[in-house]
Amino acid sequence: MPTSSRDDEGTIAVLDVGKTNVKLNAVTADGAVLETLSIANPVLPGPPWSHHDLGAIGEWVFSGLAQLARRHRLSTFVASGHGSGGVLVGADPEQGDGAALPMIDYEQAPPEAIRAGYAPLSGSFFDRGSATMHAATHQARQLFWMQECEPQAFARAQWYLGLPQYWAWRLSGVVASEASLLGAQSHLWNVAERHFAPIVDQRGWGRLMPPFADAWQDLGPVRVELARRHGLPQDLRILTGAHDSSLNHYRYHAAGLRDFTVISTGTWIVGFCGQTPLDRLDEDRGMTLNSDVFGKPLGGVLTMGGREFSHVAGHGQPGGPVPEQIVRQLIALETMALPSFGDDNGLFPGSAGQGHITGPKPETPMERKALALFYCALLTAECVEALGAGPLVVLDGSFLRDPLYARLVAALLPGRQVRFNLDTYGVASGAALLAGQRTRKRPAPLSLAEAKDVPPLTTAISNYAAEWRASARRQAEPVFQ
């Protein structure tokens, strides 16, 4: 299979803006990452609230693009971003960082008056796409906060842009809205009915929302003055961009997969399935209604797996993979980590802050790491079962660094075909593949390995998993009764 872009397509520059880090990638048209630059995503204190340093990031992005352009023939730029990021901007991308108000750091709790005032305005589950989550997660709540606390600056703003579209605007000067970003628990867009949530009209935000563009739409070339100032290719084309997890899902769609569930692992365990019936979605169990890059509904599920892993594994985690024998010992001793250790309920309503270990406690760092890995495999299987549809499960993300993780998930899901992708650049690959959406004539290259469930391990896990699920649900609210 081809692994590099054709000469006439050039290389795609992909900006991947995460909560903690920002990455700038050079990627082939077939999705192979050639080079990556990265920087921490800085947060500045208020007033008026903790916010991301868009000015510093911008200078790094433009400088990084110039560096990549010296080593690769860049033809296209596209950005991805997390679903809790948006920027209220003025009319001119040349005016400082372009922001009318600082971009809110979503991990800070809004004032109590904002929390209480927002709740009755947030609409139905389909209007929100999720339960109301912790801190300032949702873009609608961020806009409410800005409008209530900084009304004059808010009134002067021209547009509200999702994070990928903000960077597209900084480079091209063209504004756009995009379905997958607004459909990522923004509480602004009703994915099922394809219209803005009622809060947009109620608060007069419609004027801030640009026309929609497809994620792969060419918004135009890089701004002339920006190209000259930073030495960027003047024919660099700027695409609309999309939500990071939706782009990871698109990567598998572009490779020809259709009836599948994808589970991505990291700080969050994120599950998506395009075949999950809408009436199966349960906001009390961490389930969401997202949008794919085509604007179609994606059943979703979210739980903070990476954070849960850290709580259980603790400090001083040993290097190297977890030995299967230690997991077998945990099963024999009936040692269990039960949710949830952090402040997110995840799949078990009422469990936030209730996490604990039952049975003999793990004594060594490797035993704690093994319990954490096993616990996250159980959470992963719970995510798959919640989404329901589809015999094929695809795993990707950071948990796959330990070879036992995929095997544990396969053992927990004996009726499913579990495959995994060791490539950790799914978002960057998916974003780059947008450039060929209109012209692709064959599926994009993709190599998946099969996670084989070993019968003795499957047998040992079966009873343990049933007891773990029953115990986890017993400590949750009566929704499970």
Side-chain angles (χ1 to χ4, degrees):
M1 290 184 179
T3 57
S4 62
S5 58
R6 295 190 297 274
D7 290 342
D8 61 341
E9 291 182 317
T11 300
I12 293 88
V14 176
L15 178 65
D16 180 8
V17 184
K19 173 61 177 69
T20 306
N21 296 293
V22 181
K23 297 178 181 179
L24 187 60
N25 307 275
V27 191
T28 71
D30 286 328
V33 176
L34 303 173
E35 182 179 355
T36 300
L37 309 175
S38 64
I39 189 176
N41 194 349
V43 174
L44 302 176
W49 39 68
S50 295
H51 55 277
H52 290 281
D53 191 347
L54 296 174
I57 296 173
E59 290 304 309
W60 178 84
V61 168
F62 304 144
S63 172
L65 282 171
Q67 291 180 49
L68 292 181
R70 289 193 289 270
R71 297 189 285 273
H72 308 276
R73 191 172 70 81
L74 299 184
S75 63
T76 307
F77 170 92
V78 60
S80 70
H82 60 82
S84 295
V87 187
L88 195 67
V89 304
D92 185 2
E94 282 286 300
Q95 185 68 37
D97 59 14
L101 280 167
M103 176 188 167
I104 291 176
D105 168 18
Y106 78 81
E107 288 197 304
Q108 66 189 303
E112 176 58 26
I114 299 302
R115 189 198 65 77
Y118 174 74
L121 301 176
S122 61
S124 69
F125 170 70
F126 286 148
D127 293 328
R128 291 180 276 105
S130 74
T132 299
M133 299 165 69
H134 69 295
T137 296
H138 309 291
Q139 294 181 51
R141 185 153 56 176
Q142 295 171 24
L143 277 170
F144 181 72
W145 186 354
M146 289 188 275
Q147 188 175 32
E148 289 292 294
C149 294
E150 298 288 338
Q152 293 181 343
F154 192 94
R156 291 193 296 269
Q158 295 293 307
W159 305 104
Y160 181 72
L161 304 175
L163 203 45
Q165 291 72 53
Y166 165 77
W167 289 107
W169 173 69
R170 289 288 304 272
L171 268 80
S172 71
V174 179
V175 293
S177 296
E178 191 274 327
S180 72
L181 197 286
L182 286 176
Q185 296 85 59
S186 73
H187 289 195
L188 293 168
W189 181 248
N190 186 314
V191 173
E193 300 172 11
R194 298 196 181 196
H195 60 66
F196 281 107
I199 193 172
V200 174
D201 285 338
Q202 292 168 2
R203 300 293 297 186
W205 298 342
R207 70 174 184 85
L208 298 170
M209 304 299 167
F212 276 78
D214 291 327
W216 57 87
Q217 185 169 321
D218 183 343
L219 299 180
V222 64
R223 292 187 291 115
V224 173
E225 60 272 25
L226 193 68
R228 289 174 178 168
R229 186 183 314 133
H230 294 279
L232 306 181
Q234 294 192 7
D235 59 350
L236 185 68
R237 308 302 297 182
I238 312 302
L239 307 189
T240 306
H243 175 228
D244 49 14
S245 294
S246 299
L247 284 169
N248 191 57
H249 180 272
Y250 171 72
R251 185 242 194 121
Y252 297 105
H253 182 280
L257 302 186
R258 290 299 178 264
D259 188 4
F260 67 100
T261 298
V262 61
I263 302 287
S264 301
T265 60
T267 301
W268 291 89
I269 297 174
V270 181
F272 279 158
C273 181
Q275 286 70 45
T276 300
L278 298 189
D279 60 7
R280 188 182 178 93
L281 301 177
D282 182 353
E283 62 179 307
D284 292 324
R285 296 194 61 206
M287 301 193 75
T288 63
L289 177 57
N290 285 67
S291 169
D292 67 12
V293 299
F294 305 102
K296 297 177 182 178
L298 274 179
V301 63
L302 286 169
T303 190
M304 292 195 82
R307 298 282 173 86
E308 293 291 288
F309 182 97
S310 297
H311 279 294
V312 176
H315 298 293
Q317 298 173 25
V322 169
E324 181 183 324
Q325 184 56 37
I326 295 183
V327 173
R328 289 182 178 277
Q329 292 171 3
L330 295 172
I331 293 172
L333 294 170
E334 297 185 350
T335 296
M336 296 183 180
L338 296 173
S340 293
F341 292 82
D343 60 1
D344 179 70
N345 286 323
L347 294 142
F348 299 94
S351 69
Q354 303 300 310
H356 62 283
I357 296 172
T358 63
K361 301 294 189 289
E363 296 180 353
T364 68
M366 183 57 83
E367 287 175 353
R368 292 195 299 271
K369 182 179 179 181
L371 182 61
L373 187 73
F374 193 13
Y375 172 44
C376 288
L378 288 157
L379 290 175
T380 300
E382 196 75 6
C383 287
V384 174
E385 297 292 4
L387 291 170
L392 174 61
V393 177
V394 179
L395 306 175
D396 66 22
S398 60
F399 285 4
L400 289 165
R401 293 170 187 162
D402 195 305
L404 189 57
Y405 168 73
R407 289 185 56 219
L408 289 170
V409 174
L412 289 161
L413 298 169
R416 311 258 187 167
Q417 182 182 22
V418 178
R419 294 185 175 181
F420 63 93
N421 186 357
L422 290 175
D423 179 0
T424 59
Y425 299 102
V427 172
S429 296
L433 289 169
L434 287 176
Q437 170 59 27
R438 287 196 176 98
T439 58
R440 187 176 299 109
K441 296 179 180 178
R442 64 184 185 277
L446 178 66
S447 178
L448 296 178
E450 187 172 358
K452 296 181 179 179
D453 57 321
V454 180
L457 185 59
T458 302
T459 302
I461 279 178
S462 180
N463 291 337
Y464 179 101
E467 178 56 33
W468 177 86
R469 182 176 294 109
S471 298
R473 293 186 175 191
R474 275 197 297 271
Q475 72 179 28
E477 291 179 341
V479 68
F480 288 117
Q481 304 305 316

